């Protein structure tokens, strides 16, 4: 609660502070930012998770970044980390998680127009719309059950079977975790909500053909696990398996000459042993978390800043707030992530 209150306060006044001053005070002129999707329409599988930014706001984000930062691609970032090549002053790295179809239809055309490179992280189980991520299932269920006017109390027996509390439709469905996905499938079956039909009709994910076309256009791709679990809920062997199998899919189908990975949800609680295996033995070039402006003691592990919130704030508000928060954390030496 204290953190949320602090960020809300920073959000209110931070945009009045010059970004040049914030960057100078923080000592941080490199910024890695990420999104999931961009769309002018409501997306039922995302609607109840976070606010999707429209194309106009996204273009304003990019224009603000281009005004204050210089875009770099994955190759430049790898060279900076491993060959100590200097990045351009005020560099920024742009990426997108989950491999959603808007990356091809909406995002790539805008990036090509503005000359901005980007890396897209894919869940191998979802390419070609073979399956739907459990959080997207939850959002879609909320939307469809509401349309059907299903009384929330009818869901109580399903939650009791899994020994989970049921409070109300939205908070209860959004509380379902990756390893409880069968609960979502059972509810969908009981109330005649068909995830396969949604996948076939709406095609929310990228296809292999679209990915090939984006690669030809110069965009880069990395793995994002097989099916989007929370890594700190898995044991080490499962974390490694999810990572290596998703990367093997990319290598088999797209012959990528590099290996890079972004954690689904969070890298919080992931041990040093994971990075020793992935960045060391398996020779992944980079891995990415989503903890914002923070330092890492592990070479090759970088943190990104998420641009999606429940409020459709401007990029200036979001970025200035993140810099202010970084400066405050530095006073308490809370800006470095250590792994054990």
């Amino acid at each position: 609660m204290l953190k949320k209150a602090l960020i809300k306060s920073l959000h209110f006044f931070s945009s009045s502070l010059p970004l040049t001053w914030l960057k100078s005070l923080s000592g941080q002129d490199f910024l890695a930012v990420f999104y999931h999707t961009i769309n002018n329409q409501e997306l039922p599988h995302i609607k109840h998770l976070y606010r999707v930014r429209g194309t106009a706001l996204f273009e304003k984000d990019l224009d603000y970044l281009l005004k204050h930062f210089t875009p770099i691609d994955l190759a430049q970032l790898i060279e900076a980390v491993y060959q100590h090549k200097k990045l351009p002053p005020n560099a920024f790295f742009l990426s997108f998680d989950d491999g959603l179809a808007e990356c091809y239809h909406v995002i790539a055309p805008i990036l090509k127009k503005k000359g901005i490179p980007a890396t897209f992280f894919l869940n191998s189980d979802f390419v070609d719309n073979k399956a739907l991520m459990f959080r997207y299932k939850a959002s879609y269920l909320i939307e469809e059950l509401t349309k059907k006017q299903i009384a929330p109390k009818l869901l109580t027996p399903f939650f009791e079977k899994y020994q989970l509390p049921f409070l109300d439709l939205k908070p209860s469905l959004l509380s379902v975790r990756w390893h409880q996905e069968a609960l979502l499938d059972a509810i969908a079956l009981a109330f005649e909500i068909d995830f396969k039909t949604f996948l076939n009709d709406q095609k929310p994910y990228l296809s292999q053909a679209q990915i090939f076309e984006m690669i030809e256009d110069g965009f880069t791709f990395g793995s994002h696990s097989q099916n989007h679990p929370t890594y700190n809920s898995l044991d080490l062997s499962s974390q490694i398996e999810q990572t290596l199998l998703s990367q093997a899919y990319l290598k088999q189908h797209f012959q990528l000459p590099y290996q890079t990975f972004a954690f689904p949800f969070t890298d919080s609680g992931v041990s040093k042993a994971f990075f020793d295996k992935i960045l060391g033995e398996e020779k992944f070039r980079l891995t990415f978390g989503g903890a914002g402006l923070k330092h890492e003691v592990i070479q090759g592990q970088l943190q990104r800043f998420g641009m999606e919130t429940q409020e459709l704030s401007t990029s200036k508000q979001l970025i200035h707030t993140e810099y202010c928060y970084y400066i405050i954390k530095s006073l308490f030496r809370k800006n470095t992530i250590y792994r054990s």
Side-chain angles (χ1 to χ4, degrees):
M1 293 296 292
L2 181 61
K3 177 181 175 181
K4 287 184 178 180
L6 174 60
I7 290 176
K8 187 175 182 179
S9 299
L10 293 174
H11 194 72
F12 180 73
F13 75 83
S14 63
S15 58
S16 65
L17 302 173
L19 184 58
T20 52
W21 182 82
L22 292 174
K23 286 192 286 189
S24 177
L25 186 60
S26 67
Q28 302 301 304
D29 63 355
F30 169 71
L31 185 67
V33 300
F34 75 101
Y35 300 79
H36 291 82
T37 193
I38 303 295
N39 204 304
N40 292 328
Q41 308 296 323
E42 282 190 338
L43 301 171
H45 55 298
I46 296 177
K47 177 180 177 180
H48 300 282
L49 303 178
Y50 56 85
R51 296 285 296 276
V52 172
R53 296 169 88 79
T55 55
L57 185 55
F58 179 55
E59 293 207 45
K60 287 183 180 179
D61 289 353
L62 297 178
D63 290 341
Y64 185 79
L65 286 165
L66 288 171
K67 181 179 178 180
H68 296 280
F69 296 87
T70 301
I72 62 167
D73 61 23
L74 182 63
Q76 288 174 282
L77 194 53
I78 291 172
E79 288 177 350
V81 171
Y82 290 99
Q83 300 176 24
H84 305 291
K85 290 189 177 181
K86 284 191 175 182
L87 292 173
N90 303 310
F92 84 92
F93 175 74
L94 179 63
S95 59
F96 298 83
D97 289 356
D98 291 7
L100 293 164
E102 290 81 17
C103 293
Y104 174 82
H105 295 293
V106 179
I107 294 166
I110 293 173
L111 297 182
K112 286 195 291 183
K113 179 178 70 174
K114 293 182 178 292
I116 301 175
T119 299
F120 298 83
F121 293 100
L122 306 174
N123 298 106
S124 53
D125 283 4
F126 306 147
V127 175
D128 285 327
N129 294 286
K130 298 188 296 289
L132 188 64
M133 194 258 283
F134 77 98
R135 288 285 283 173
Y136 294 158
K137 285 182 177 180
S139 179
Y140 186 62
L141 279 175
I142 294 166
E143 188 72 3
E144 292 300 301
L145 290 169
T146 301
K147 285 181 182 178
K148 289 174 177 280
Q149 298 183 326
I150 301 298
K153 65 181 180 180
L154 295 178
L155 274 65
T156 302
F158 295 93
F159 281 79
E160 289 177 346
K161 182 179 178 181
Y162 283 82
Q163 299 181 322
L164 295 173
F166 182 81
L167 303 174
D168 201 356
L169 180 66
K170 183 171 179 176
S172 296
L173 285 171
L174 292 182
S175 72
V176 176
R177 303 274 69 89
W178 173 78
H179 64 280
Q180 300 159 336
E181 184 174 6
L183 168 57
L184 301 175
D185 294 333
I187 293 171
L189 180 64
F191 295 100
E192 299 181 335
I193 298 170
D194 193 338
F195 294 133
K196 287 186 178 180
T197 297
F198 172 73
L199 286 163
N200 291 333
D201 292 347
Q202 300 300 317
K203 294 182 171 51
Y205 290 106
L206 291 168
S207 68
Q208 288 189 47
Q210 290 167 343
I211 294 166
F212 272 119
E213 188 174 333
M214 291 174 69
I215 291 172
E216 290 177 359
D217 284 336
F219 295 111
T220 49
F221 286 81
S223 56
H224 195 47
S225 79
Q226 291 175 284
N227 50 24
H228 215 291
T230 305
Y231 265 49
N232 58 24
S233 70
L234 304 177
D235 59 32
L236 178 60
S237 62
S238 297
Q239 293 173 353
I240 292 170
E241 180 181 53
Q242 281 268 349
T243 307
L244 294 184
L245 289 179
S246 63
Q247 184 62 45
Y249 172 89
L250 294 182
K251 184 176 181 180
Q252 176 187 352
H253 291 277
F254 307 109
Q255 296 79 51
L256 300 181
Y258 49 83
Q259 294 190 125
T260 184
F261 168 77
F263 285 91
F265 296 120
T266 178
D267 61 313
S268 176
V270 176
S271 69
K272 181 177 179 294
F274 173 86
F275 297 98
D276 289 343
K277 174 69 174 178
I278 297 303
L279 291 170
E281 184 179 334
E282 297 295 336
K283 295 183 172 54
F284 276 62
R285 293 294 79 196
L286 296 173
T287 56
F288 295 89
L293 276 174
K294 275 196 173 182
H295 301 290
E296 282 277 357
V297 296
I298 294 174
Q299 184 184 35
Q301 163 68 358
L302 303 174
Q303 293 295 337
R304 304 172 297 164
F305 169 57
M307 295 289 287
E308 293 152 331
T309 62
Q310 286 298 335
E311 299 79 27
L312 293 179
S313 306
T314 66
S315 55
K316 182 177 182 179
Q317 289 173 311
L318 293 170
I319 292 170
H320 284 228
T321 297
E322 185 65 15
Y323 269 98
C324 285
Y325 187 48
Y326 175 93
I327 292 166
I328 291 172
K329 287 185 295 182
S330 69
L331 300 175
F332 301 94
R333 298 185 178 182
K334 296 292 186 180
N335 281 335
T336 301
I337 298 175
Y338 297 94
R339 311 279 178 177
S340 57

